[in-house]
Amino acid sequence: MRIRLGQVIAALTALAILFMYRGTLDSIDFFFQDKFMQHESGTDNRIVVVGIDDESIQNIGKWPWNRKIHAQLIDTLTQGHPAVIAFDVTFPVPSDDPEENIELINAVKRAGNVVMARYGTFDSSVKQGTIEALELSEPFPELKEAAAGVGHINTIPDEDQVVRKSLYMFNYKGQPMESFSWIIYKIFKKHEGQQVNSKELPLDRFNRYHIPYAGGPGQFEVVPYSSIINGDVPPDYFQDRIVLIGPYTVGLKDDYPTPLDYKTKMYGVEIHANIIQALLEQNFKRELDWKWNAAVLVFTAIAVYYLFRKTHPGISFTVLVAIIIVLIFGGKYLYGKGIIISIGYLISFLVTSYIVVIGFNYMKELLERRRVTDIFGRYVAPQVVSQILESGEQGLKLGGTRRELTVLFVDIRGFTPLSEQAEPEEIVEILNEYLDLTATCIFRYDGTLDKFIGDATMAIFNAPLLLEDHQLKAVQAAWAMKEGAIALEKKLMERFGRSVKFGIGIHTGPAVFGNIGSKTRMDYTAIGDTVNTTARLESNAKPGQIILSETIYEAVKEHITVVPLGEIKVKGKEQGIRIYELEGLK
């Protein structure tokens, strides 16, 4: 069964869709989203971070701090009438000092807008849908009751540990636990006299939504915790603002890689700031359903089939690059419109398809070349076929090249009497066996089979392939013919009571070789006095005899044993030619 390019592209498309459905190449998709879609756009000045930073730890003392200090901070901030005060810090158990607890609880009550954090522990085998927490760490009961709201600070990083999505909610003992950022957003909008609806969130199968980061590490305004305690920053600076209080030092180990920067980690409180800004701006990004992504991929596959199948690889590569650029800018444009398309899968499919198409076309051309060589090589020497295929139209032009060649003629002696005794079908069979033997021996020693002339064969050595020892190659081919003919002679003797033998002549000298003939019918052959002389030597050879000219003998005498036959006159030459009979190879 012959495989077609369309079938290969269809198989690739089906595999790509399967990968898309299972999320196999999500890491590549994330890479393109992070590099070409995510970008800093400026932070919202309604959000300010109060950092538990190195400066504050140095001024206040070793972390964790006395809860009276947190109460002091809340009271100071409250004087400035902020919209929300949110602690990205958990207080799971009461302090050993009851006064600390009372002051913190009372400060939270007086403020009336303080959001506290909780944290859930999940089963690592969660598949999809609303996540159920196994355990829950939240503010001790009195503090939880005093707070305006409590939200979870959990996140589910992707496999590469990069935080790209916010977890809206999970369940604990059947009760929904909304996120820290969502609770803050809800209280802020209430402060402005507005209501919110969680149905506006484009949630995935884990109840997460995409975070369009507006600011990278250090981009949101940060005020050191100690600066507020010391009175360096006046309370009214925070009026109507969202105040996020959280760790802002590496030592507290609350930092994560984000799409904006894999190496420089972002503090958790900054990630909350980005989420809240996205909520305030209603900057929601909806991931295109995998079925629509699959539809785009199928359309791309059709385009690939028609654009790449017959196009030159260089042009195909240019088209590939152009399509990738269009996809990147198109994906960036759609991202700005709130739609996330899986360009990572599309680009991976395009590149893979391009490589496969190039490989498929190369193999197809190689197989076709081999098929043509096999078929055409039965009529013309394989070397000539290869030269024509490599040269294209140029290889089919009439013309010749002058070079020193060794020419071999071999004829069957006694063939005419034998043909009188045998049936025509038997004659063809015998002739084919002898000609197959001559051709095999010629090819074995890198010769070029010029032509069959009835029951004779003409071969040339050193064209079109250059051979350093073409004279010796021709002699070795002739000797192989003589040895190979022994079995054929015995077979004929048993069948017909008579046999046939080869008569061979070999000569070397200058000749012209190439495409000789007309534009409509040509032969790849050699012409010249060397060819004519070789034919005369072959005609003088007796059955079973291999005759070498003196020029051949001088070129290969170190490798052969011969019997001098003296000088003979050949037609068309005034001077005689000294000849030798080949008796063996050394």
Side-chain angles (χ1 to χ4, degrees):
M1 179 179 166
R2 189 176 179 182
I3 300 175
R4 300 182 181 277
L5 180 60
Q7 295 171 325
V8 174
I9 296 296
L12 276 177
T13 305
L15 188 63
I17 291 173
L18 177 63
F19 284 174
M20 186 180 290
Y21 175 73
R22 300 184 63 177
T24 308
L25 303 179
D26 279 354
S27 58
I28 298 175
D29 203 30
F30 291 151
F31 171 81
F32 282 98
Q33 287 183 22
D34 298 345
K35 293 298 179 184
F36 300 107
M37 296 182 186
Q38 288 276 16
H39 59 87
E40 295 181 8
S41 58
T43 57
D44 193 325
N45 60 12
R46 291 176 292 180
I47 304 170
V48 61
V49 173
V50 174
I52 304 172
D53 57 2
D54 293 324
E55 177 186 333
S56 300
I57 292 173
Q58 186 176 359
N59 292 334
I60 298 173
K62 185 179 179 181
W63 179 265
W65 297 329
N66 189 303
R67 293 180 179 177
K68 292 180 180 179
I69 295 173
H70 295 309
Q72 183 184 347
L73 176 74
I74 295 170
D75 286 336
T76 303
L77 290 171
T78 302
Q79 294 173 26
H81 304 290
V84 187
I85 300 172
F87 275 85
D88 185 16
V89 178
T90 59
F91 298 93
V93 294
S95 171
D96 293 335
D97 183 356
E99 288 188 12
E100 287 185 36
N101 298 324
I102 292 171
E103 286 200 28
L104 178 58
I105 292 167
N106 290 336
V108 170
K109 285 181 179 179
R110 284 192 295 270
N113 61 353
V114 178
V115 177
M116 290 293 177
R118 57 163 58 107
Y119 188 85
T121 303
F122 307 137
D123 184 352
S124 59
S125 63
V126 171
K127 298 298 182 183
Q128 65 179 33
T130 302
I131 301 171
E132 187 75 28
L134 302 177
E135 296 178 2
L136 189 67
S137 174
E138 56 183 2
F140 60 90
E142 295 82 2
L143 182 60
K144 175 183 175 183
E145 185 178 349
V150 181
H152 78 78
I153 54 174
N154 289 82
T155 186
I156 302 179
D158 292 313
E159 291 182 0
D160 55 2
Q161 300 307 307
V162 176
V163 178
R164 296 183 177 87
K165 294 181 178 180
S166 172
L167 178 63
Y168 162 61
M169 63 159 284
F170 62 80
N171 284 346
Y172 179 67
K173 294 182 178 180
Q175 296 299 313
M177 303 292 157
E178 293 182 319
S179 72
F180 184 66
S181 302
W182 178 258
I183 297 292
I184 294 169
Y185 167 65
K186 187 160 58 173
I187 293 175
F188 179 81
K189 297 303 283 186
K190 183 179 180 181
H191 174 76
E192 292 188 334
Q194 300 176 27
Q195 297 294 319
V196 297
N197 187 352
S198 62
K199 292 182 179 179
E200 65 192 11
L201 297 174
L203 303 178
D204 67 5
R205 62 183 186 273
F206 292 102
N207 279 321
R208 300 180 303 171
Y209 56 96
H210 181 81
I211 306 172
Y213 285 87
Q219 294 301 306
F220 278 90
E221 182 183 1
V222 181
V223 177
Y225 192 112
S226 59
S227 296
I228 302 171
I229 297 296
N230 298 336
D232 296 335
V233 181
D236 58 4
Y237 184 75
F238 302 97
Q239 185 174 352
D240 296 326
R241 301 177 78 178
I242 297 172
V243 182
L244 302 178
I245 305 160
Y248 208 81
T249 176
V250 175
L252 296 181
K253 298 181 180 179
D254 185 35
D255 52 358
Y256 310 86
T258 64
L260 295 179
D261 195 334
Y262 297 162
K263 295 181 179 179
T264 305
K265 293 183 178 181
M266 183 181 290
Y267 296 114
V269 68
E270 294 177 292
I271 294 176
H272 289 304
N274 273 286
I275 297 169
I276 294 166
Q277 178 165 333
L279 293 170
L280 291 173
E281 295 175 348
Q282 295 289 287
N283 185 12
F284 301 132
K285 310 297 182 183
R286 300 181 183 275
E287 292 186 357
L288 201 62
D289 186 79
W290 78 270
K291 295 176 184 177
W292 288 106
N293 277 316
V296 174
L297 195 142
V298 170
F299 177 79
T300 305
I302 295 171
V304 163
Y305 176 73
Y306 286 104
L307 289 173
F308 292 169
R309 62 173 181 160
K310 292 184 178 180
T311 311
H312 186 276
I315 298 174
S316 296
F317 181 76
T318 304
V319 172
L320 173 69
V321 172
I323 294 175
I324 290 174
I325 291 172
V326 169
L327 281 174
I328 289 173
F329 280 95
K332 193 171 182 179
Y333 172 79
L334 290 173
Y335 184 83
K337 297 295 183 181
I339 299 173
I340 301 176
I341 187 171
S342 297
I343 63 171
Y345 281 93
L346 295 174
I347 291 174
S348 300
F349 173 76
L350 275 169
V351 173
T352 304
S353 297
Y354 174 77
I355 295 171
V356 168
V357 169
I358 294 296
F360 182 88
N361 287 339
Y362 173 78
M363 289 302 299
K364 183 180 178 182
E365 183 178 338
L366 190 65
L367 292 172
E368 182 64 16
R369 184 191 185 102
R370 186 172 296 172
R371 188 182 71 85
V372 171
T373 303
D374 289 343
I375 295 173
F376 196 29
R378 300 184 184 188
Y379 296 90
V380 182
Q383 301 96 318
V384 179
V385 179
S386 298
Q387 186 182 63
I388 291 172
L389 290 174
E390 290 172 7
S391 305
E393 291 294 325
Q394 194 67 26
L396 294 173
K397 289 185 177 180
L398 293 171
T401 302
R402 183 182 176 87
R403 185 186 295 172
E404 183 181 27
L405 303 181
T406 297
V407 183
L408 179 152
F409 272 91
V410 54
D411 192 13
I412 303 176
R413 300 290 189 264
F415 185 73
T416 302
L418 179 63
S419 63
E420 294 175 353
Q421 290 183 280
E423 295 295 326
E425 291 81 7
E426 293 176 319
I427 297 301
V428 171
E429 181 185 345
I430 295 167
L431 181 61
N432 285 341
E433 286 191 64
Y434 268 93
L435 295 181
D436 182 62
L437 172 62
T438 62
T440 300
C441 295
I442 292 165
F443 294 148
R444 186 187 307 164
Y445 292 98
D446 301 324
T448 298
L449 177 59
D450 188 295
K451 62 173 70 71
F452 294 122
I453 311 166
D455 59 356
T457 303
M458 173 183 170
I460 56 177
F461 293 78
N462 206 36
L465 298 177
L466 284 168
L467 301 172
E468 291 183 4
D469 51 353
H470 53 93
Q471 296 95 341
L472 179 60
K473 293 280 189 183
V475 171
Q476 289 172 325
W479 190 254
M481 291 178 197
K482 182 171 182 175
E483 291 187 324
I486 295 173
L488 289 177
E489 292 169 10
K490 183 179 179 181
K491 179 179 177 181
L492 290 178
M493 184 61 71
E494 291 173 354
R495 287 181 62 182
F496 302 104
R498 64 167 58 229
S499 184
V500 295
K501 289 182 179 291
F502 283 138
I504 302 173
I506 308 174
H507 181 48
T508 187
V512 174
F513 69 93
N515 294 323
I516 310 298
S518 68
K519 292 181 180 179
T520 56
R521 179 67 173 89
M522 63 182 72
D523 282 329
Y524 188 91
T525 189
I527 59 172
D529 181 65
T530 299
V531 178
N532 297 333
T533 300
T534 308
R536 302 289 184 267
L537 294 180
E538 178 267 314
S539 65
N540 279 274
K542 296 177 181 178
Q545 195 174 46
I546 301 173
I547 293 183
L548 312 180
S549 67
E550 187 171 19
T551 50
I552 284 287
Y553 171 72
E554 290 297 332
V556 300
K557 60 184 178 183
E558 301 297 328
H559 305 280
I560 61 174
T561 56
V562 297
V563 175
L565 298 180
E567 187 175 285
I568 62 169
K569 290 282 289 183
V570 296
K571 185 178 179 181
K573 284 187 173 289
E574 294 182 1
Q575 291 185 337
I577 299 176
R578 295 183 64 81
I579 61 172
Y580 301 82
E581 180 181 355
L582 180 66
E583 283 204 329
L585 303 176
K586 290 184 181 179

